[in-house]
PDB file of all heavy atoms in Angstrom:
ATOM      1  N   ALA A   1      -6.404   2.803  -3.622  1.00  0.00           N
ATOM      2  CA  ALA A   1      -5.615   2.388  -2.467  1.00  0.00           C
ATOM      3  C   ALA A   1      -5.189   0.925  -2.573  1.00  0.00           C
ATOM      4  O   ALA A   1      -4.024   0.582  -2.330  1.00  0.00           O
ATOM      5  CB  ALA A   1      -6.425   2.607  -1.190  1.00  0.00           C
ATOM      6  N   ALA A   2      -6.125   0.064  -2.945  1.00  0.00           N
ATOM      7  CA  ALA A   2      -5.803  -1.353  -3.080  1.00  0.00           C
ATOM      8  C   ALA A   2      -4.839  -1.587  -4.238  1.00  0.00           C
ATOM      9  O   ALA A   2      -3.944  -2.445  -4.148  1.00  0.00           O
ATOM     10  CB  ALA A   2      -7.080  -2.165  -3.285  1.00  0.00           C
ATOM     11  N   GLY A   3      -4.993  -0.822  -5.313  1.00  0.00           N
ATOM     12  CA  GLY A   3      -4.090  -0.968  -6.452  1.00  0.00           C
ATOM     13  C   GLY A   3      -2.654  -0.603  -6.098  1.00  0.00           C
ATOM     14  O   GLY A   3      -1.712  -1.323  -6.455  1.00  0.00           O
ATOM     15  N   VAL A   4      -2.480   0.501  -5.387  1.00  0.00           N
ATOM     16  CA  VAL A   4      -1.133   0.910  -4.962  1.00  0.00           C
ATOM     17  C   VAL A   4      -0.548  -0.121  -3.998  1.00  0.00           C
ATOM     18  O   VAL A   4       0.634  -0.488  -4.091  1.00  0.00           O
ATOM     19  CB  VAL A   4      -1.174   2.310  -4.311  1.00  0.00           C
ATOM     20  CG1 VAL A   4       0.177   2.646  -3.678  1.00  0.00           C
ATOM     21  CG2 VAL A   4      -1.559   3.365  -5.338  1.00  0.00           C
ATOM     22  N   ALA A   5      -1.383  -0.591  -3.062  1.00  0.00           N
ATOM     23  CA  ALA A   5      -0.909  -1.577  -2.096  1.00  0.00           C
ATOM     24  C   ALA A   5      -0.507  -2.881  -2.780  1.00  0.00           C
ATOM     25  O   ALA A   5       0.499  -3.500  -2.409  1.00  0.00           O
ATOM     26  CB  ALA A   5      -1.993  -1.844  -1.053  1.00  0.00           C
ATOM     27  N   MET A   6      -1.273  -3.297  -3.760  1.00  0.00           N
ATOM     28  CA  MET A   6      -0.927  -4.513  -4.488  1.00  0.00           C
ATOM     29  C   MET A   6       0.381  -4.351  -5.259  1.00  0.00           C
ATOM     30  O   MET A   6       1.200  -5.272  -5.325  1.00  0.00           O
ATOM     31  CB  MET A   6      -2.062  -4.891  -5.440  1.00  0.00           C
ATOM     32  CG  MET A   6      -3.212  -5.608  -4.779  1.00  0.00           C
ATOM     33  SD  MET A   6      -2.682  -7.182  -4.088  1.00  0.00           S
ATOM     34  CE  MET A   6      -4.250  -7.802  -3.484  1.00  0.00           C
ATOM     35  N   ALA A   7       0.570  -3.172  -5.842  1.00  0.00           N
ATOM     36  CA  ALA A   7       1.837  -2.914  -6.538  1.00  0.00           C
ATOM     37  C   ALA A   7       3.002  -3.014  -5.561  1.00  0.00           C
ATOM     38  O   ALA A   7       4.051  -3.589  -5.878  1.00  0.00           O
ATOM     39  CB  ALA A   7       1.796  -1.532  -7.190  1.00  0.00           C
ATOM     40  N   ALA A   8       2.799  -2.465  -4.367  1.00  0.00           N
ATOM     41  CA  ALA A   8       3.842  -2.556  -3.348  1.00  0.00           C
ATOM     42  C   ALA A   8       4.060  -4.008  -2.926  1.00  0.00           C
ATOM     43  O   ALA A   8       5.203  -4.452  -2.737  1.00  0.00           O
ATOM     44  CB  ALA A   8       3.463  -1.699  -2.138  1.00  0.00           C
ATOM     45  N   TYR A   9       2.956  -4.750  -2.778  1.00  0.00           N
ATOM     46  CA  TYR A   9       3.045  -6.144  -2.348  1.00  0.00           C
ATOM     47  C   TYR A   9       3.865  -6.978  -3.329  1.00  0.00           C
ATOM     48  O   TYR A   9       4.602  -7.895  -2.928  1.00  0.00           O
ATOM     49  CB  TYR A   9       1.636  -6.720  -2.215  1.00  0.00           C
ATOM     50  CG  TYR A   9       1.600  -8.177  -1.817  1.00  0.00           C
ATOM     51  CD1 TYR A   9       1.777  -8.558  -0.490  1.00  0.00           C
ATOM     52  CD2 TYR A   9       1.373  -9.172  -2.766  1.00  0.00           C
ATOM     53  CE1 TYR A   9       1.739  -9.892  -0.123  1.00  0.00           C
ATOM     54  CE2 TYR A   9       1.336 -10.509  -2.404  1.00  0.00           C
ATOM     55  CZ  TYR A   9       1.513 -10.870  -1.082  1.00  0.00           C
ATOM     56  OH  TYR A   9       1.492 -12.195  -0.728  1.00  0.00           O
ATOM     57  N   TYR A  10       3.738  -6.666  -4.618  1.00  0.00           N
ATOM     58  CA  TYR A  10       4.482  -7.426  -5.623  1.00  0.00           C
ATOM     59  C   TYR A  10       5.855  -6.821  -5.935  1.00  0.00           C
ATOM     60  O   TYR A  10       6.472  -7.170  -6.937  1.00  0.00           O
ATOM     61  CB  TYR A  10       3.646  -7.560  -6.884  1.00  0.00           C
ATOM     62  CG  TYR A  10       2.539  -8.582  -6.732  1.00  0.00           C
ATOM     63  CD1 TYR A  10       1.213  -8.187  -6.590  1.00  0.00           C
ATOM     64  CD2 TYR A  10       2.821  -9.941  -6.688  1.00  0.00           C
ATOM     65  CE1 TYR A  10       0.186  -9.114  -6.427  1.00  0.00           C
ATOM     66  CE2 TYR A  10       1.813 -10.876  -6.521  1.00  0.00           C
ATOM     67  CZ  TYR A  10       0.501 -10.466  -6.392  1.00  0.00           C
ATOM     68  OH  TYR A  10      -0.496 -11.392  -6.228  1.00  0.00           O
ATOM     69  N   GLY A  11       6.321  -5.905  -5.055  1.00  0.00           N
ATOM     70  CA  GLY A  11       7.704  -5.445  -5.124  1.00  0.00           C
ATOM     71  C   GLY A  11       7.969  -4.217  -5.947  1.00  0.00           C
ATOM     72  O   GLY A  11       9.133  -3.890  -6.201  1.00  0.00           O
ATOM     73  N   ALA A  12       6.942  -3.487  -6.370  1.00  0.00           N
ATOM     74  CA  ALA A  12       7.157  -2.323  -7.234  1.00  0.00           C
ATOM     75  C   ALA A  12       7.927  -1.204  -6.540  1.00  0.00           C
ATOM     76  O   ALA A  12       8.599  -0.412  -7.202  1.00  0.00           O
ATOM     77  CB  ALA A  12       5.812  -1.787  -7.739  1.00  0.00           C
ATOM     78  N   PHE A  13       7.830  -1.123  -5.214  1.00  0.00           N
ATOM     79  CA  PHE A  13       8.466  -0.026  -4.486  1.00  0.00           C
ATOM     80  C   PHE A  13       9.578  -0.486  -3.553  1.00  0.00           C
ATOM     81  O   PHE A  13       9.985   0.232  -2.639  1.00  0.00           O
ATOM     82  CB  PHE A  13       7.407   0.746  -3.673  1.00  0.00           C
ATOM     83  CG  PHE A  13       6.214   1.165  -4.475  1.00  0.00           C
ATOM     84  CD1 PHE A  13       4.934   0.857  -4.049  1.00  0.00           C
ATOM     85  CD2 PHE A  13       6.370   1.846  -5.681  1.00  0.00           C
ATOM     86  CE1 PHE A  13       3.818   1.230  -4.792  1.00  0.00           C
ATOM     87  CE2 PHE A  13       5.266   2.218  -6.432  1.00  0.00           C
ATOM     88  CZ  PHE A  13       3.993   1.910  -5.992  1.00  0.00           C
ATOM     89  N   GLY A  14      10.047  -1.697  -3.739  1.00  0.00           N
ATOM     90  CA  GLY A  14      11.160  -2.174  -2.929  1.00  0.00           C
ATOM     91  C   GLY A  14      10.730  -3.180  -1.875  1.00  0.00           C
ATOM     92  O   GLY A  14       9.542  -3.416  -1.633  1.00  0.00           O
ATOM     93  N   THR A  15      11.727  -3.758  -1.213  1.00  0.00           N
ATOM     94  CA  THR A  15      11.492  -4.835  -0.249  1.00  0.00           C
ATOM     95  C   THR A  15      10.738  -4.362   0.985  1.00  0.00           C
ATOM     96  O   THR A  15       9.831  -5.033   1.472  1.00  0.00           O
ATOM     97  CB  THR A  15      12.834  -5.456   0.178  1.00  0.00           C
ATOM     98  OG1 THR A  15      13.547  -5.901  -0.981  1.00  0.00           O
ATOM     99  CG2 THR A  15      12.598  -6.645   1.103  1.00  0.00           C
ATOM    100  N   LEU A  16      11.126  -3.196   1.522  1.00  0.00           N
ATOM    101  CA  LEU A  16      10.469  -2.688   2.721  1.00  0.00           C
ATOM    102  C   LEU A  16       8.995  -2.398   2.462  1.00  0.00           C
ATOM    103  O   LEU A  16       8.119  -2.779   3.252  1.00  0.00           O
ATOM    104  CB  LEU A  16      11.173  -1.425   3.216  1.00  0.00           C
ATOM    105  CG  LEU A  16      10.569  -0.764   4.459  1.00  0.00           C
ATOM    106  CD1 LEU A  16      10.586  -1.737   5.636  1.00  0.00           C
ATOM    107  CD2 LEU A  16      11.334   0.517   4.821  1.00  0.00           C
ATOM    108  N   ALA A  17       8.706  -1.729   1.353  1.00  0.00           N
ATOM    109  CA  ALA A  17       7.319  -1.425   1.001  1.00  0.00           C
ATOM    110  C   ALA A  17       6.523  -2.708   0.772  1.00  0.00           C
ATOM    111  O   ALA A  17       5.328  -2.775   1.090  1.00  0.00           O
ATOM    112  CB  ALA A  17       7.264  -0.552  -0.240  1.00  0.00           C
ATOM    113  N   GLN A  18       7.168  -3.717   0.260  1.00  0.00           N
ATOM    114  CA  GLN A  18       6.495  -4.998   0.035  1.00  0.00           C
ATOM    115  C   GLN A  18       6.024  -5.615   1.352  1.00  0.00           C
ATOM    116  O   GLN A  18       4.931  -6.165   1.436  1.00  0.00           O
ATOM    117  CB  GLN A  18       7.449  -5.964  -0.671  1.00  0.00           C
ATOM    118  CG  GLN A  18       6.837  -7.286  -1.072  1.00  0.00           C
ATOM    119  CD  GLN A  18       7.815  -8.144  -1.863  1.00  0.00           C
ATOM    120  OE1 GLN A  18       9.032  -8.042  -1.685  1.00  0.00           O
ATOM    121  NE2 GLN A  18       7.298  -8.990  -2.738  1.00  0.00           N
ATOM    122  N   ALA A  19       6.847  -5.484   2.399  1.00  0.00           N
ATOM    123  CA  ALA A  19       6.510  -6.076   3.693  1.00  0.00           C
ATOM    124  C   ALA A  19       5.348  -5.356   4.379  1.00  0.00           C
ATOM    125  O   ALA A  19       4.616  -5.960   5.162  1.00  0.00           O
ATOM    126  CB  ALA A  19       7.740  -6.066   4.603  1.00  0.00           C
ATOM    127  N   VAL A  20       5.199  -4.064   4.096  1.00  0.00           N
ATOM    128  CA  VAL A  20       4.171  -3.267   4.803  1.00  0.00           C
ATOM    129  C   VAL A  20       3.106  -2.750   3.837  1.00  0.00           C
ATOM    130  O   VAL A  20       2.440  -1.758   4.116  1.00  0.00           O
ATOM    131  CB  VAL A  20       4.828  -2.090   5.557  1.00  0.00           C
ATOM    132  CG1 VAL A  20       5.799  -2.602   6.600  1.00  0.00           C
ATOM    133  CG2 VAL A  20       5.536  -1.135   4.598  1.00  0.00           C
ATOM    134  N   SER A  21       2.895  -3.430   2.727  1.00  0.00           N
ATOM    135  CA  SER A  21       2.004  -2.924   1.680  1.00  0.00           C
ATOM    136  C   SER A  21       0.590  -2.590   2.159  1.00  0.00           C
ATOM    137  O   SER A  21       0.005  -1.598   1.696  1.00  0.00           O
ATOM    138  CB  SER A  21       1.952  -3.922   0.512  1.00  0.00           C
ATOM    139  OG  SER A  21       1.493  -5.196   0.943  1.00  0.00           O
ATOM    140  N   PRO A  22      -0.030  -3.365   3.082  1.00  0.00           N
ATOM    141  CA  PRO A  22      -1.387  -2.995   3.516  1.00  0.00           C
ATOM    142  C   PRO A  22      -1.472  -1.616   4.174  1.00  0.00           C
ATOM    143  O   PRO A  22      -2.536  -0.998   4.179  1.00  0.00           O
ATOM    144  CB  PRO A  22      -1.760  -4.105   4.507  1.00  0.00           C
ATOM    145  CG  PRO A  22      -0.951  -5.279   4.077  1.00  0.00           C
ATOM    146  CD  PRO A  22       0.345  -4.684   3.631  1.00  0.00           C
ATOM    147  N   PHE A  23      -0.357  -1.127   4.714  1.00  0.00           N
ATOM    148  CA  PHE A  23      -0.375   0.209   5.316  1.00  0.00           C
ATOM    149  C   PHE A  23      -0.533   1.295   4.248  1.00  0.00           C
ATOM    150  O   PHE A  23      -1.089   2.357   4.522  1.00  0.00           O
ATOM    151  CB  PHE A  23       0.883   0.443   6.154  1.00  0.00           C
ATOM    152  CG  PHE A  23       0.850  -0.278   7.471  1.00  0.00           C
ATOM    153  CD1 PHE A  23       1.475  -1.503   7.633  1.00  0.00           C
ATOM    154  CD2 PHE A  23       0.179   0.261   8.553  1.00  0.00           C
ATOM    155  CE1 PHE A  23       1.446  -2.179   8.832  1.00  0.00           C
ATOM    156  CE2 PHE A  23       0.133  -0.401   9.772  1.00  0.00           C
ATOM    157  CZ  PHE A  23       0.766  -1.628   9.915  1.00  0.00           C
ATOM    158  N   PHE A  24      -0.059   1.028   3.034  1.00  0.00           N
ATOM    159  CA  PHE A  24      -0.317   1.949   1.918  1.00  0.00           C
ATOM    160  C   PHE A  24      -1.825   2.038   1.674  1.00  0.00           C
ATOM    161  O   PHE A  24      -2.383   3.125   1.475  1.00  0.00           O
ATOM    162  CB  PHE A  24       0.384   1.454   0.647  1.00  0.00           C
ATOM    163  CG  PHE A  24       1.867   1.671   0.622  1.00  0.00           C
ATOM    164  CD1 PHE A  24       2.732   0.796   1.249  1.00  0.00           C
ATOM    165  CD2 PHE A  24       2.415   2.763  -0.036  1.00  0.00           C
ATOM    166  CE1 PHE A  24       4.099   0.979   1.228  1.00  0.00           C
ATOM    167  CE2 PHE A  24       3.783   2.966  -0.072  1.00  0.00           C
ATOM    168  CZ  PHE A  24       4.631   2.079   0.567  1.00  0.00           C
ATOM    169  N   ALA A  25      -2.483   0.864   1.683  1.00  0.00           N
ATOM    170  CA  ALA A  25      -3.926   0.832   1.463  1.00  0.00           C
ATOM    171  C   ALA A  25      -4.664   1.564   2.573  1.00  0.00           C
ATOM    172  O   ALA A  25      -5.604   2.329   2.315  1.00  0.00           O
ATOM    173  CB  ALA A  25      -4.407  -0.622   1.376  1.00  0.00           C
ATOM    174  N   LEU A  26      -4.238   1.373   3.806  1.00  0.00           N
ATOM    175  CA  LEU A  26      -4.890   2.008   4.951  1.00  0.00           C
ATOM    176  C   LEU A  26      -4.829   3.530   4.860  1.00  0.00           C
ATOM    177  O   LEU A  26      -5.849   4.220   4.995  1.00  0.00           O
ATOM    178  CB  LEU A  26      -4.228   1.528   6.248  1.00  0.00           C
ATOM    179  CG  LEU A  26      -4.651   2.224   7.543  1.00  0.00           C
ATOM    180  CD1 LEU A  26      -6.138   2.040   7.795  1.00  0.00           C
ATOM    181  CD2 LEU A  26      -3.828   1.687   8.721  1.00  0.00           C
ATOM    182  N   VAL A  27      -3.651   4.050   4.611  1.00  0.00           N
ATOM    183  CA  VAL A  27      -3.464   5.511   4.574  1.00  0.00           C
ATOM    184  C   VAL A  27      -4.198   6.127   3.384  1.00  0.00           C
ATOM    185  O   VAL A  27      -4.918   7.132   3.524  1.00  0.00           O
ATOM    186  CB  VAL A  27      -1.963   5.854   4.537  1.00  0.00           C
ATOM    187  CG1 VAL A  27      -1.760   7.356   4.315  1.00  0.00           C
ATOM    188  CG2 VAL A  27      -1.281   5.421   5.833  1.00  0.00           C
ATOM    189  N   LEU A  28      -4.046   5.550   2.217  1.00  0.00           N
ATOM    190  CA  LEU A  28      -4.683   6.105   1.017  1.00  0.00           C
ATOM    191  C   LEU A  28      -6.207   6.003   1.086  1.00  0.00           C
ATOM    192  O   LEU A  28      -6.917   6.956   0.743  1.00  0.00           O
ATOM    193  CB  LEU A  28      -4.173   5.383  -0.227  1.00  0.00           C
ATOM    194  CG  LEU A  28      -2.744   5.721  -0.672  1.00  0.00           C
ATOM    195  CD1 LEU A  28      -2.313   4.792  -1.795  1.00  0.00           C
ATOM    196  CD2 LEU A  28      -2.649   7.176  -1.112  1.00  0.00           C
ATOM    197  N   ALA A  29      -6.722   4.863   1.534  1.00  0.00           N
ATOM    198  CA  ALA A  29      -8.171   4.673   1.570  1.00  0.00           C
ATOM    199  C   ALA A  29      -8.835   5.583   2.593  1.00  0.00           C
ATOM    200  O   ALA A  29      -9.992   5.961   2.421  1.00  0.00           O
ATOM    201  CB  ALA A  29      -8.496   3.213   1.883  1.00  0.00           C
ATOM    202  N   PHE A  30      -8.111   5.941   3.633  1.00  0.00           N
ATOM    203  CA  PHE A  30      -8.694   6.855   4.618  1.00  0.00           C
ATOM    204  C   PHE A  30      -8.562   8.315   4.169  1.00  0.00           C
ATOM    205  O   PHE A  30      -9.438   9.143   4.434  1.00  0.00           O
ATOM    206  CB  PHE A  30      -8.019   6.683   5.982  1.00  0.00           C
ATOM    207  CG  PHE A  30      -8.743   7.397   7.092  1.00  0.00           C
ATOM    208  CD1 PHE A  30      -9.828   6.813   7.716  1.00  0.00           C
ATOM    209  CD2 PHE A  30      -8.345   8.659   7.495  1.00  0.00           C
ATOM    210  CE1 PHE A  30     -10.505   7.473   8.728  1.00  0.00           C
ATOM    211  CE2 PHE A  30      -9.021   9.332   8.504  1.00  0.00           C
ATOM    212  CZ  PHE A  30     -10.109   8.739   9.135  1.00  0.00           C
ATOM    213  N   GLY A  31      -7.494   8.629   3.467  1.00  0.00           N
ATOM    214  CA  GLY A  31      -7.254  10.018   3.087  1.00  0.00           C
ATOM    215  C   GLY A  31      -7.946  10.475   1.815  1.00  0.00           C
ATOM    216  O   GLY A  31      -8.270  11.660   1.667  1.00  0.00           O
ATOM    217  N   LEU A  32      -8.210   9.562   0.886  1.00  0.00           N
ATOM    218  CA  LEU A  32      -8.772   9.952  -0.408  1.00  0.00           C
ATOM    219  C   LEU A  32     -10.256  10.327  -0.399  1.00  0.00           C
ATOM    220  O   LEU A  32     -10.652  11.254  -1.121  1.00  0.00           O
ATOM    221  CB  LEU A  32      -8.533   8.831  -1.432  1.00  0.00           C
ATOM    222  CG  LEU A  32      -7.104   8.704  -1.969  1.00  0.00           C
ATOM    223  CD1 LEU A  32      -6.998   7.490  -2.884  1.00  0.00           C
ATOM    224  CD2 LEU A  32      -6.700   9.963  -2.730  1.00  0.00           C
ATOM    225  N   PRO A  33     -11.134   9.649   0.362  1.00  0.00           N
ATOM    226  CA  PRO A  33     -12.557   9.985   0.275  1.00  0.00           C
ATOM    227  C   PRO A  33     -12.915  11.453   0.500  1.00  0.00           C
ATOM    228  O   PRO A  33     -13.732  12.002  -0.260  1.00  0.00           O
ATOM    229  CB  PRO A  33     -13.190   9.075   1.339  1.00  0.00           C
ATOM    230  CG  PRO A  33     -12.319   7.879   1.330  1.00  0.00           C
ATOM    231  CD  PRO A  33     -10.927   8.426   1.162  1.00  0.00           C
ATOM    232  N   PRO A  34     -12.337  12.162   1.481  1.00  0.00           N
ATOM    233  CA  PRO A  34     -12.666  13.589   1.609  1.00  0.00           C
ATOM    234  C   PRO A  34     -12.241  14.404   0.394  1.00  0.00           C
ATOM    235  O   PRO A  34     -12.935  15.348  -0.011  1.00  0.00           O
ATOM    236  CB  PRO A  34     -11.901  14.023   2.863  1.00  0.00           C
ATOM    237  CG  PRO A  34     -11.645  12.776   3.615  1.00  0.00           C
ATOM    238  CD  PRO A  34     -11.474  11.709   2.585  1.00  0.00           C
TER     239      PRO A  34
END
């Protein structure tokens, strides 16, 4: 989750994703453990 969010933060998925990158971490980190 943190790896994907960091990639987004550094612009890998575009400007919008860069602005909201921690939300990628939130969703993935909550959904992956189960």
Side-chain angles (χ1 to χ4, degrees):
V4 171
M6 280 297 183
Y9 178 80
Y10 284 106
F13 309 128
T15 304
L16 179 60
Q18 185 175 29
V20 299
S21 59
F23 284 97
F24 285 82
L26 172 61
V27 173
L28 286 172
F30 191 83
L32 285 176

